[in-house]
Amino acid sequence: MTYIIVTRKEAVVGKPLTSFDDALMQATHLFGDDVQDWLKLNLRIEENR
């Protein structure tokens, strides 16, 4: 199973990652760790299906 970082408008950021932890670290590296910023971007980590 792989995970992807998704922003509003269903835009996938980067490449699929092999674990949720890797995806979370990558999202934090790219967008910071401020919850308000993530909410504005509708940023989320999803299973890649």
Side-chain angles (χ1 to χ4, degrees):
M1 182 178 328
T2 58
Y3 295 88
I4 53 175
I5 301 167
V6 181
T7 61
R8 71 176 151 243
K9 298 182 183 177
E10 303 302 317
V12 175
V13 178
K15 60 181 178 155
L17 299 156
T18 56
S19 73
F20 183 85
D21 288 340
D22 289 343
L24 182 59
M25 287 191 312
Q26 182 68 19
T28 302
H29 173 74
L30 293 172
F31 298 100
D33 61 356
D34 185 9
V35 174
Q36 295 296 326
D37 290 340
W38 281 42
L39 290 173
K40 289 176 190 172
L41 292 170
N42 192 20
L43 188 74
R44 60 204 181 275
I45 298 170
E46 297 180 353
E47 289 181 9
N48 188 19
R49 296 181 183 213

